[in-house]
Amino acid sequence: MADITRRLGWRHLRGAPTAHIRHHRSGQTVHDGPGLSFWFRPLSAALSEIPVDDRELAMTFHARTSDFQDVSVQATVTYRIGDPAVAAARLDFSIDPDTGVWRGAPLEQLGTLLTETAQQHALDVLARTSLSSALVDGVAAVRERIAAGLGAEPRLPATGIEVVAVRVMALRPEPEVERALRTPAREQIQQEADRATYERRAVAVERERAIAENELASQIELARREEQLVDQRGTNARREAEEHAAADAVRAGAEAARAVRLAEAEATRTVKLAEAEAARSVRLARAEAEGAREVGEARAQAQAAWLRVHADVDVATLHALTGTRLAENLPRIDSVTVSPDVLTGLLARLGSQERA
């Protein structure tokens, strides 16, 4: 839509680059081109705005196949207005000089023309095609037929319209028919899934059997190796026992020889000690005998000398010496208790000695 500004009875129009503006005044073309900007008087101006950009026309319509089955077609036609002057002459693209809004609905007229033309060619091709073929190859066939039909339609160039592209997005039957058609495929898919499940289970069972066989083989091999290990351990134990027995025999022989050597050494040492002790005893006996003889001789000589000394001493001196020797040998007397009887006896004895 053109942008129109009001100024004191004048109008200023500014068009978009994708809009072709045609300005007529008094039957003469004043301005003609895309993206124009100019001033004009609304009372004497006739304005037209023709879009020249690519436009998408989506359409959905129903058709019937050769086996009387209804299908729905979803398609899109891309078109543009290639000759704005022709389009403006054939369709009403005039705009209000005050608001810039189309006075009519030219794009709806173009849409109706394109939709009916495309639908006519699609119906024609689907009417000679069965439902199964339409569902398999119908999209490409309908697209090619619509493109060829629109390209050969004389009304489109006469209106200034160019078809850029045709796309058919879907071609679907009615929901009940679609469900009925899906059932065999679903059954086949389910059968394939069941077959795959059975095969997977079979493979799993086979693998489990292989695993069980491998485990059994491993157990058998382990048992065989354990038997070999037990035999080897018995052989090692027997060999170790034989080696220990031989070592014990060698050790016993060595111990016996060592005991014999020790016994012989001990006997020799005992004999030597006995001989040494006997010799020492003989020497000690001789020394003791010699000492006793010398002590006896010394005592005899001392006794003889003592007797010779006392032979020349008087009796009183001998008595005194005897008392002295007796006193030396008596035990220590701390106190002496003299009873009257003892004192009387002593006095009587002293008296008798004095009288004598």
Side-chain angles (χ1 to χ4, degrees), residues 49-260:
E49 183 182 10
I50 303 94
V52 294
D53 57 337
D54 291 349
R55 291 182 173 267
E56 301 286 341
L57 177 62
M59 59 185 71
T60 301
F61 53 88
H62 292 275
R64 179 170 292 182
T65 61
S66 61
D67 49 359
F68 305 102
Q69 298 296 327
D70 292 335
V71 293
S72 60
V73 181
Q74 296 179 0
T76 300
V77 176
T78 304
Y79 70 96
R80 73 167 67 98
I81 298 176
D83 193 344
V86 175
R90 299 297 299 272
L91 298 173
D92 184 11
F93 283 97
S94 62
I95 60 176
D96 190 316
D98 292 329
T99 61
V101 179
W102 279 315
R103 296 179 184 275
L107 295 182
E108 293 182 3
Q109 294 177 3
L110 288 178
T112 302
L113 175 61
L114 291 172
T115 301
E116 290 179 353
T117 304
Q119 183 175 357
Q120 177 181 356
H121 294 288
L123 293 176
D124 184 38
V125 70
L126 289 174
R128 291 176 293 177
T129 306
S130 62
L131 178 62
S132 58
S133 300
L135 294 178
V136 176
D137 301 324
V139 173
V142 171
R143 182 180 63 250
E144 293 175 358
R145 183 60 180 272
I146 291 176
L150 292 177
E153 180 63 34
R155 292 183 58 189
L156 299 181
T159 315
I161 300 174
E162 296 179 0
V163 176
V164 178
V166 176
R167 298 189 303 275
V168 177
M169 280 73 71
L171 196 152
R172 293 182 178 176
E174 292 183 350
E176 295 80 3
V177 177
E178 187 174 4
R179 284 195 296 270
L181 293 175
R182 287 178 179 177
T183 300
R186 288 183 177 178
E187 291 294 335
Q188 184 176 0
I189 294 173
Q190 186 64 39
Q191 291 177 4
E192 294 294 333
D194 294 340
R195 186 181 300 107
T197 302
Y198 297 150
E199 291 178 356
R200 185 169 60 254
R201 290 180 180 176
V203 171
V205 171
E206 182 65 24
R207 290 180 178 177
E208 290 179 358
R209 185 185 62 79
I211 292 172
E213 290 180 356
N214 292 334
E215 291 179 353
L216 181 60
S218 299
Q219 293 177 0
I220 294 173
E221 181 65 20
L222 288 176
R224 186 179 62 81
R225 292 187 178 182
E226 288 180 357
E227 183 180 0
Q228 293 179 356
L229 181 61
V230 170
D231 295 339
Q232 186 64 36
R233 284 180 178 175
T235 303
N236 293 338
R238 184 169 59 256
R239 185 180 303 167
E240 185 177 359
E242 293 175 356
E243 292 178 355
H244 282 310
D248 292 339
V250 172
R251 190 180 300 110
E255 290 292 334
R258 180 172 174 273
V260 171

Side-chain angles (χ1 to χ4, degrees), residues 300-320:
Q301 290 177 3
Q303 189 69 26
W306 184 79
L307 291 175
R308 283 195 303 271
V309 171
H310 286 80
D312 297 334
V313 179
D314 56 1
V315 177
T317 302
L318 293 174
H319 288 168

